[in-house]
Amino acid sequence: MTETLGLALMGTGRMAHVYGPKIAAHPGLRLEMVFNPRLASAEAAATQYGGRPSDDLDAVLADPAVEAVVIATPTNTHVDYVLRAAEAGKPIYCEKPLDQTLERVDVALAALERHPVPFMLGFNRRFDPENAALQAAVHAGEIGEVNFLMSTSREPAPPPMDYVRASGGYFVDGVIHDIDLMCWIAGERPVTVYAAGSCMVEPAIGAEGDWDTAMTTLTMPSGALVHINNCRRCAYGFDQRVEAFGAKGMVQTRNHRDDNLVRWTAAATEARQPLKHFFLERYDQSFYNALDAFHAAVSGGAAPTPSAADGRAALAIALACAQSAREGRPVAPAY
Amino acid sequence: MTETLGLALMGTGRMAHVYGPKIAAHPGLRLEMVFNPRLASAEAAATQYGGRPSDDLDAVLADPAVEAVVIATPTNTHVDYVLRAAEAGKPIYCEKPLDQTLERVDVALAALERHPVPFMLGFNRRFDPENAALQAAVHAGEIGEVNFLMSTSREPAPPPMDYVRASGGYFVDGVIHDIDLMCWIAGERPVTVYAAGSCMVEPAIGAEGDWDTAMTTLTMPSGALVHINNCRRCAYGFDQRVEAFGAKGMVQTRNHRDDNLVRWTAAATEARQPLKHFFLERYDQSFYNALDAFHAAVSGGAAPTPSAADGRAALAIALACAQSAREGRPVAPAY
Amino acid sequence: MTETLGLALMGTGRMAHVYGPKIAAHPGLRLEMVFNPRLASAEAAATQYGGRPSDDLDAVLADPAVEAVVIATPTNTHVDYVLRAAEAGKPIYCEKPLDQTLERVDVALAALERHPVPFMLGFNRRFDPENAALQAAVHAGEIGEVNFLMSTSREPAPPPMDYVRASGGYFVDGVIHDIDLMCWIAGERPVTVYAAGSCMVEPAIGAEGDWDTAMTTLTMPSGALVHINNCRRCAYGFDQRVEAFGAKGMVQTRNHRDDNLVRWTAAATEARQPLKHFFLERYDQSFYNALDAFHAAVSGGAAPTPSAADGRAALAIALACAQSAREGRPVAPAY
Amino acid sequence: MTETLGLALMGTGRMAHVYGPKIAAHPGLRLEMVFNPRLASAEAAATQYGGRPSDDLDAVLADPAVEAVVIATPTNTHVDYVLRAAEAGKPIYCEKPLDQTLERVDVALAALERHPVPFMLGFNRRFDPENAALQAAVHAGEIGEVNFLMSTSREPAPPPMDYVRASGGYFVDGVIHDIDLMCWIAGERPVTVYAAGSCMVEPAIGAEGDWDTAMTTLTMPSGALVHINNCRRCAYGFDQRVEAFGAKGMVQTRNHRDDNLVRWTAAATEARQPLKHFFLERYDQSFYNALDAFHAAVSGGAAPTPSAADGRAALAIALACAQSAREGRPVAPAY
């Protein structure tokens, strides 16, 4: 391994444009190649972030300067690239979710067992400084044994219907972030889940058999109870809060905003600006931190987390939530 | 009716000592009689709060100076006194719950149909200024259509086991407060409930088949989803918070405390004192306000609320919650 | 002394209407007489709050049922009534200020020396629960030796010009409240004062040679430094905050408001309602508490505070502040 | 000019170690040389941050790759290096203060007039994101005409006595930061100042004729009044708050801290961690931002601010404050 870690960025879509600038800015990372089956797209991205463009997957994976890959392609191709990169012996950072079905996730897990390269799944919210501080406080015993975990995730506005249709449903696309975060903080996974879904924001979402408003309960082996609420519309912005309550106290995260000023006017006092940004802005730092963790693990020879198995578990829970909301009964996840 | 409303206080136990001083302090109320089957107890309370002591129920209910009754006797006698007072044509303020079984509540409801005296149930939390302000803001449309309601109710410490055994269980004894409050704020009652219970605080509670930690989901006809979390132990005091989230925004209540000072020390900044009091202190004003509402309704000829039917509904929901926690499945309340 | 303390309310103007309802509501006080040189005014007030109306000062002071007096007459008559009540041997509660000149205040002090009746000055802000809690925290040593005290007092809007002209100037009329509060919290009085005044709100106030915006520094014997800022206009309401900083930490009071709800909308998050009320509403409880303290002191035989000497000191400081603002130099108060 | 701006870092002391890593991390800056009269020190710093070490000032200033200088030498040598760099035609970023005397500052100003190179003074607090957001809000008219500005600056602990002795006194060393910030936010400079100083923290500071506790009032030409309070000890950390109050409202900055978690324990609720860091940590980002502003101005051909004249004004005000505290009277700064 050279002094910096040489990366190939697989894909040039929305998430690739999240990772591109962060790879370029990270002193320990070196963007070697940008891959897209359409060469023009690869060229455009390479011009922006550096690296050599390529539409030849074999060449990318065979290049000795490519020491690891960052997979930011469409979700339904994640597993394909994981298989190829694993066979090529390249460490993998893969954007979440690994796939929308447990079957395909299991294919990837089997491949990673055959080719045990370092693998890390992009559950970036674990790397948000607020969430990380809360998780550390809980694991340090600051609140004693955990009784309740609460996660609030409300988005400024519903996504386009094309996105919704391809998303795998609200639980697999959105709630899964909270599921992974809650399990990570709790240090355990639920024995049963119960979810209730409504369609109160965008009727077209309901017409697809999906939900835009959901409330989820996870029952943990320790007896801890987890509450998650999600809504695809939030008048005041992107509301992201976590609360952990235990035998000795409680810790809470607070929302981020553009500036930290407190405003007093004739209309309102102690007012803060609306939380106007969405996940790209709110969790910008967490994506950088996630790459940093991947770099540190690969450079140091440690196994990065979240692992592929973490991704499988979160998906199994999310699918169980969707089934629960559909069937109106608690469901045990298929771990 | 004279200028003030003459009351008989039925019972001299813990709740009677909550109402006694508030009746004495209320300029529109007049404590005429204090009733207890044991005369000595009635005499002691009458010395404290005023009024004539009596152990003769017939005499109390026949006394023309007694214009209404406040029932603060043990729960399992509530319905008996409601029946007698209704027959005597006296307006009734009855401490919650009306009873622990739907059967007995239905007996009271039938009696109130035969003898339609004004009746008000002591769900005092509706009369808490914070909760009332939130309910008013929601009903004024401040947050638009309601998507989520959240209630957090955590008690400083578990009650004595004697209390637990007689309580009817955590859902009927404790969660029922949140149930009534959420339904009142929502303006609707759930079609199904799902509850998960744990015993994480006091093993003796679990040994009784009860829970000390509970998380409840109510699914409302409008699609609104309600979350309630309850715990019988809270390191930092009596945590009582409500959050209402809707299409146009969110309103939240904040906890009360002894003083409002913000403290900055070497140990912590912006610290507030623990919420050290329990319901008698936290909701002290709400009991006074409840009596005030009863007085205004009776004096003005209006039907007071919460009604006996409100009490029945809350009990039906609480029993459904307990059944849900027991059976691990969502349950439709028996309205 | 009977079971309750019989009062004569002197005056029927704005401040009398503050005290009237509080006397009526206080279980230990009994409004015996309402005095005004114009009988019709006394009668109107007596109808509202109880007590016998009178325009005969001699009769009021001679009435054995009148056990103490509450002086709420125009400021320039305070000393006259103090002299008469002191001669009659009646305990005195006198609205602030005792007078606008040190000469007349000294006349009252001399009379109280000759006729040592219990005397209390209505610096009601000492009796505000927030301020009282802060003072208690400071005196309990919670922040160690005091280094800084800060008082912010900003009024919703300037008073009518008639009020301004008769007020004695901003320092004697408004800042004096903060002066007394700071000295009371500090437990000491300044050796010098420095004040800077501006007229930024209402030019007519400046035309009278008065200020509507002022910043005051008090240098205390201990070395503690006190900052006071006052403004006759505040867009968001009646801003009243105190901060005490010392060797071991800091305590701060927070503003009051109608309800305690936290609001999140598309326009603002964590917003609280404007502080729309002025001193009658903000300090309503403090007037009641002040009467309560007067009652407790007189009933218990203790000397009530704030004393007449406190009033003299605050006035001396306020006059020194006005002189400082006028002359642009620090001034030593004439204690 | 090449693509990046080539810098010589003058000095290798405490402040040089603040700027070194930020220059290394800034994509638009290039550390060409590190100068120290003692070569070994220059070599050590160059090893850490890059660039060529040198003890030859003439060579540094003659090197064409050195396109600008960052002066981070001891304060009493600042003017010497400014003179030399100006003569050499190099743009200058100079750590504050320019000097501790107006005489020497005037020497530098005259040199900059003869050799008009871009010059920027390191008043880094202007570049703090919080302060910058507040200044922008004020200048955007968010609070209307400014009536009051308040600055609170309290340090965790007093500096070593060696530092105090060489510092020029608390007003010139510490308060000058608040002075510059307040003038920058106000957009004007005071006509008079009044300062009161105490020694309440460290008697040795008082023995030097200096103060460790100070309260300053600036009277602005517009009538706006400015309050500044400074203390060399703060139990809960590095307290840095600004408040701006005007005709239409108020804006306030809040303190920074390590994490943003809100903690609820048996000891305190809503507690935040102490503000344990000092200026290197609290204002770390602002130093980077200051370099960024210098780079942008020099690259874009604009005059950077704060200018040398800003530094002269702040010093004149600080010296007037010290004189005011010493003489106990308001003083007009010698602009």
Side-chain angles (χ1 to χ4, degrees):
Chain A
M1 187 179 300
T2 60
E3 206 180 7
T4 52
L5 184 68
L7 295 181
L9 176 60
M10 318 300 281
T12 59
R14 186 169 69 149
M15 291 311 298
H17 286 289
V18 172
Y19 289 111
K22 288 170 184 62
I23 293 169
H26 194 292
L29 299 176
R30 194 180 77 245
L31 188 52
E32 278 290 336
M33 298 190 87
V34 177
F35 168 79
N36 191 297
R38 292 186 310 165
L39 187 60
S41 298
E43 283 170 347
T47 303
Q48 254 185 295
Y49 309 120
R52 290 166 282 138
S54 172
D55 60 355
D56 180 345
L57 183 59
D58 293 332
V60 170
L61 294 175
D63 196 309
V66 171
E67 294 163 308
V69 298
V70 172
I71 300 174
T73 56
T75 293
N76 61 354
T77 68
H78 284 178
V79 172
D80 294 333
Y81 289 107
V82 167
L83 296 182
R84 292 296 310 278
E87 280 162 21
K90 306 287 187 190
I92 300 166
Y93 178 105
C94 180
E95 174 57 17
K96 63 120 313 224
L98 200 30
D99 194 88
Q100 290 174 7
T101 67
L102 287 178
E103 292 71 24
R104 292 285 292 162
V105 169
D106 286 341
V107 167
L109 282 171
L112 289 167
E113 203 146 317
R114 286 192 310 273
H115 308 286
V117 296
F119 178 95
M120 175 169 162
L121 196 63
F123 276 129
N124 66 292
R125 293 189 195 178
R126 294 193 190 186
F127 298 92
D128 173 59
E130 298 300 307
N131 289 336
L134 184 136
Q135 192 261 9
V138 169
H139 284 244
E142 208 177 297
I143 62 165
E145 190 188 19
V146 174
N147 301 137
F148 294 134
L149 289 179
M150 270 83 167
S151 183
T152 291
S153 287
R154 300 166 188 166
E155 306 163 30
M161 284 309 299
D162 281 353
Y163 179 94
V164 170
R165 277 182 208 106
S167 71
Y170 200 18
F171 290 98
V172 167
D173 175 58
V175 185
I176 198 170
H177 269 298
D178 304 274
I179 287 169
D180 179 68
L181 196 59
M182 294 295 99
C183 292
W184 179 61
I185 295 168
E188 56 182 345
R189 288 170 183 159
V191 287
T192 60
V193 307
Y194 174 75
S198 289
C199 187
M200 303 190 80
V201 175
E202 172 51 66
I205 291 176
E208 295 287 326
D210 200 356
W211 301 273
D212 51 35
T213 306
M215 208 173 255
T216 304
T217 303
L218 312 182
T219 299
M220 296 304 206
S222 69
L225 301 172
V226 176
H227 161 79
I228 300 170
N229 70 80
N230 297 78
C231 191
R232 287 268 194 212
R233 174 191 56 202
C234 186
Y236 48 87
F238 188 41
D239 192 357
Q240 297 280 294
R241 285 173 288 147
V242 174
E243 174 175 321
F245 170 80
K248 290 161 61 181
M250 173 168 68
V251 284
Q252 300 170 309
T253 63
R254 293 160 59 97
N255 275 302
H256 286 194
R257 58 203 84 222
D258 265 2
D259 71 56
N260 215 15
L261 298 187
V262 184
R263 290 165 165 84
W264 300 62
T265 69
T269 68
E270 295 173 63
R272 318 290 291 279
Q273 285 193 318
L275 313 163
K276 60 177 167 237
H277 296 317
F278 193 28
F279 80 100
L280 288 179
E281 295 83 5
R282 167 63 181 82
Y283 287 114
D284 187 71
Q285 182 68 34
S286 74
F287 286 108
Y288 182 89
N289 292 354
L291 281 178
D292 195 51
F294 178 66
H295 169 252
V298 171
S299 301
T305 57
S307 67
D310 288 336
R312 189 194 188 284
L315 177 60
I317 298 167
L319 290 170
C321 287
Q323 186 184 351
S324 172
R326 216 161 41 232
E327 303 182 2
R329 61 178 186 86
V331 172
Y335 295 127
Chain B
M1 186 178 299
T2 60
E3 204 179 9
T4 53
L5 183 70
L7 296 181
L9 176 60
M10 319 299 282
T12 60
R14 185 169 69 148
M15 290 312 299
H17 286 288
V18 172
Y19 288 111
K22 287 167 186 63
I23 294 170
H26 194 292
L29 299 177
R30 196 179 73 245
L31 188 51
E32 277 291 336
M33 299 190 85
V34 177
F35 168 79
N36 191 300
R38 292 186 311 163
L39 188 58
S41 297
E43 284 170 345
T47 303
Q48 254 185 295
Y49 308 120
R52 291 165 282 139
S54 171
D55 61 353
D56 180 345
L57 183 58
D58 292 331
V60 169
L61 294 176
D63 195 309
V66 171
E67 294 162 307
V69 299
V70 171
I71 300 174
T73 56
T75 293
N76 62 354
T77 67
H78 284 178
V79 171
D80 293 334
Y81 289 107
V82 167
L83 296 182
R84 291 296 311 277
E87 280 163 21
K90 305 287 188 191
I92 300 164
Y93 178 105
C94 180
E95 174 56 17
K96 63 124 303 227
L98 198 32
D99 195 87
Q100 290 173 8
T101 67
L102 287 178
E103 293 69 27
R104 290 287 291 164
V105 168
D106 286 341
V107 168
L109 282 172
L112 289 167
E113 204 147 316
R114 286 193 310 274
H115 309 286
V117 296
F119 178 94
M120 175 168 162
L121 196 64
F123 276 129
N124 65 293
R125 293 187 195 180
R126 294 193 190 185
F127 299 91
D128 172 59
E130 298 299 309
N131 289 336
L134 184 135
Q135 192 262 6
V138 169
H139 284 243
E142 206 176 299
I143 61 165
E145 190 188 19
V146 174
N147 301 136
F148 293 134
L149 289 179
M150 269 83 166
S151 183
T152 291
S153 287
R154 301 166 188 167
E155 305 163 31
M161 284 310 297
D162 281 353
Y163 178 93
V164 170
R165 277 182 207 106
S167 70
Y170 200 16
F171 290 97
V172 167
D173 175 57
V175 185
I176 197 170
H177 271 296
D178 303 274
I179 288 169
D180 179 69
L181 196 59
M182 294 295 99
C183 293
W184 178 63
I185 294 168
E188 55 182 345
R189 288 169 183 160
V191 287
T192 59
V193 306
Y194 173 75
S198 288
C199 187
M200 302 191 79
V201 175
E202 173 52 65
I205 291 175
E208 294 288 326
D210 200 355
W211 301 273
D212 51 35
T213 305
M215 206 173 258
T216 303
T217 303
L218 311 183
T219 301
M220 296 303 205
S222 69
L225 301 173
V226 177
H227 161 79
I228 300 169
N229 70 79
N230 298 78
C231 191
R232 288 270 194 210
R233 172 192 57 202
C234 185
Y236 50 88
F238 189 39
D239 191 357
Q240 298 279 295
R241 286 173 286 149
V242 175
E243 174 175 320
F245 170 80
K248 289 161 61 183
M250 173 168 70
V251 285
Q252 300 171 308
T253 62
R254 292 161 58 98
N255 275 302
H256 285 195
R257 57 202 84 223
D258 265 359
D259 71 55
N260 214 16
L261 297 187
V262 184
R263 290 163 168 84
W264 300 62
T265 69
T269 68
E270 295 172 62
R272 318 288 292 279
Q273 284 191 319
L275 312 162
K276 60 177 167 238
H277 296 317
F278 194 28
F279 81 98
L280 288 178
E281 295 83 6
R282 167 63 181 80
Y283 288 115
D284 187 70
Q285 182 67 33
S286 74
F287 286 109
Y288 181 89
N289 292 354
L291 281 177
D292 194 50
F294 178 66
H295 168 251
V298 171
S299 301
T305 56
S307 66
D310 289 335
R312 190 195 186 282
L315 178 59
I317 299 168
L319 290 170
C321 286
Q323 188 184 349
S324 172
R326 213 159 45 231
E327 303 182 2
R329 61 179 186 86
V331 172
Y335 295 127
Chain C
M1 186 179 300
T2 61
E3 204 179 10
T4 53
L5 184 69
L7 296 181
L9 176 61
M10 319 300 282
T12 59
R14 185 169 69 149
M15 291 311 299
H17 286 289
V18 172
Y19 288 111
K22 287 168 186 62
I23 295 170
H26 194 292
L29 299 176
R30 195 180 74 246
L31 187 53
E32 277 291 336
M33 298 190 86
V34 178
F35 168 80
N36 191 300
R38 292 186 310 163
L39 188 59
S41 297
E43 284 170 346
T47 304
Q48 254 184 294
Y49 308 121
R52 291 166 281 139
S54 172
D55 59 357
D56 181 344
L57 184 58
D58 292 332
V60 169
L61 294 175
D63 196 309
V66 171
E67 295 163 307
V69 299
V70 172
I71 300 175
T73 57
T75 294
N76 61 354
T77 67
H78 284 178
V79 172
D80 294 333
Y81 289 108
V82 167
L83 296 182
R84 293 295 312 277
E87 279 163 22
K90 305 289 188 191
I92 299 165
Y93 178 105
C94 180
E95 175 56 16
K96 62 121 311 225
L98 200 29
D99 195 87
Q100 290 174 8
T101 68
L102 287 179
E103 293 70 24
R104 291 285 291 164
V105 167
D106 286 341
V107 168
L109 282 172
L112 289 167
E113 205 146 315
R114 287 194 307 276
H115 309 286
V117 296
F119 178 94
M120 175 168 162
L121 195 64
F123 276 129
N124 64 293
R125 293 188 195 179
R126 294 194 191 185
F127 298 92
D128 172 59
E130 298 300 308
N131 289 336
L134 184 135
Q135 193 262 8
V138 169
H139 284 244
E142 208 176 297
I143 61 164
E145 190 188 18
V146 174
N147 301 135
F148 294 134
L149 289 180
M150 270 82 167
S151 183
T152 291
S153 286
R154 301 167 188 166
E155 305 163 31
M161 284 309 299
D162 281 354
Y163 179 94
V164 169
R165 277 183 208 105
S167 70
Y170 200 18
F171 290 98
V172 168
D173 175 57
V175 185
I176 198 170
H177 270 298
D178 303 275
I179 288 170
D180 179 68
L181 196 59
M182 294 297 97
C183 293
W184 179 61
I185 294 168
E188 55 183 345
R189 287 169 183 161
V191 286
T192 59
V193 307
Y194 173 75
S198 289
C199 187
M200 302 190 80
V201 175
E202 173 51 65
I205 291 175
E208 294 287 329
D210 200 356
W211 301 273
D212 51 35
T213 306
M215 208 173 255
T216 303
T217 303
L218 312 182
T219 300
M220 297 303 207
S222 69
L225 301 172
V226 177
H227 160 78
I228 300 170
N229 70 81
N230 298 79
C231 191
R232 288 267 194 214
R233 173 193 55 203
C234 186
Y236 49 87
F238 189 41
D239 191 358
Q240 299 279 295
R241 286 173 287 147
V242 175
E243 175 175 320
F245 171 79
K248 289 161 60 182
M250 173 169 68
V251 284
Q252 300 170 309
T253 63
R254 292 161 58 98
N255 275 302
H256 286 194
R257 58 203 83 220
D258 266 0
D259 72 55
N260 214 16
L261 298 187
V262 184
R263 290 163 166 84
W264 300 61
T265 69
T269 67
E270 295 172 63
R272 319 287 293 278
Q273 284 192 318
L275 314 162
K276 61 179 167 238
H277 297 316
F278 193 29
F279 81 98
L280 289 178
E281 295 83 6
R282 168 61 182 82
Y283 287 115
D284 187 71
Q285 182 67 33
S286 74
F287 287 108
Y288 182 89
N289 292 354
L291 282 176
D292 195 51
F294 178 67
H295 169 252
V298 171
S299 302
T305 57
S307 68
D310 289 335
R312 191 196 186 282
L315 178 60
I317 298 168
L319 290 170
C321 287
Q323 187 184 350
S324 172
R326 215 160 43 231
E327 302 182 2
R329 61 178 187 85
V331 173
Y335 295 127
Chain D
M1 185 180 298
T2 59
E3 205 180 7
T4 53
L5 184 69
L7 296 181
L9 176 61
M10 319 299 282
T12 59
R14 186 170 67 148
M15 291 311 299
H17 286 290
V18 172
Y19 289 111
K22 288 170 184 62
I23 294 170
H26 194 292
L29 299 176
R30 196 180 74 245
L31 188 52
E32 278 291 335
M33 298 190 87
V34 178
F35 168 80
N36 192 298
R38 292 186 310 162
L39 188 60
S41 297
E43 284 170 346
T47 303
Q48 253 184 296
Y49 309 121
R52 290 165 282 139
S54 173
D55 60 355
D56 181 344
L57 183 59
D58 293 331
V60 169
L61 295 175
D63 196 311
V66 171
E67 294 162 307
V69 299
V70 171
I71 301 174
T73 57
T75 294
N76 60 354
T77 67
H78 283 179
V79 172
D80 294 332
Y81 289 107
V82 167
L83 296 182
R84 292 297 311 277
E87 279 162 22
K90 305 287 189 189
I92 300 164
Y93 179 104
C94 180
E95 176 55 16
K96 63 125 302 231
L98 199 31
D99 194 88
Q100 289 174 8
T101 69
L102 287 179
E103 292 70 27
R104 291 285 292 162
V105 168
D106 286 341
V107 168
L109 282 172
L112 289 167
E113 203 147 317
R114 285 193 309 275
H115 309 286
V117 296
F119 178 95
M120 177 168 161
L121 196 64
F123 276 130
N124 65 292
R125 292 187 196 181
R126 294 193 190 185
F127 298 91
D128 172 59
E130 298 300 308
N131 289 336
L134 184 135
Q135 192 263 9
V138 169
H139 284 244
E142 207 177 298
I143 63 165
E145 192 188 18
V146 174
N147 300 135
F148 294 134
L149 289 180
M150 270 85 166
S151 183
T152 291
S153 286
R154 301 166 187 164
E155 305 163 31
M161 283 311 297
D162 281 352
Y163 179 93
V164 170
R165 277 182 208 105
S167 71
Y170 200 16
F171 290 98
V172 168
D173 175 57
V175 185
I176 198 170
H177 270 298
D178 304 274
I179 288 170
D180 178 69
L181 196 59
M182 294 295 99
C183 292
W184 178 62
I185 295 168
E188 56 182 346
R189 287 169 183 161
V191 287
T192 59
V193 307
Y194 174 74
S198 288
C199 188
M200 303 190 79
V201 175
E202 173 51 64
I205 290 176
E208 295 288 327
D210 199 358
W211 301 272
D212 53 34
T213 306
M215 207 173 257
T216 303
T217 303
L218 311 182
T219 300
M220 296 304 205
S222 69
L225 301 172
V226 176
H227 161 80
I228 300 170
N229 70 80
N230 298 78
C231 191
R232 288 266 194 215
R233 172 192 56 201
C234 185
Y236 49 87
F238 188 40
D239 192 357
Q240 298 280 294
R241 285 173 287 147
V242 175
E243 175 175 320
F245 171 79
K248 289 161 63 181
M250 173 168 67
V251 284
Q252 300 170 309
T253 63
R254 293 160 59 98
N255 276 302
H256 286 195
R257 59 202 83 221
D258 266 0
D259 71 55
N260 215 15
L261 298 187
V262 184
R263 290 164 167 83
W264 299 62
T265 69
T269 69
E270 296 172 61
R272 317 290 291 279
Q273 284 192 320
L275 312 163
K276 60 179 165 234
H277 297 317
F278 194 27
F279 80 100
L280 288 180
E281 295 83 5
R282 168 62 181 83
Y283 288 115
D284 187 70
Q285 182 67 34
S286 73
F287 287 108
Y288 182 89
N289 292 355
L291 282 178
D292 195 50
F294 178 66
H295 169 252
V298 171
S299 301
T305 57
S307 67
D310 289 336
R312 190 195 186 283
L315 178 60
I317 298 168
L319 290 170
C321 286
Q323 187 183 350
S324 172
R326 215 159 44 231
E327 302 182 3
R329 60 176 188 89
V331 173
Y335 295 127

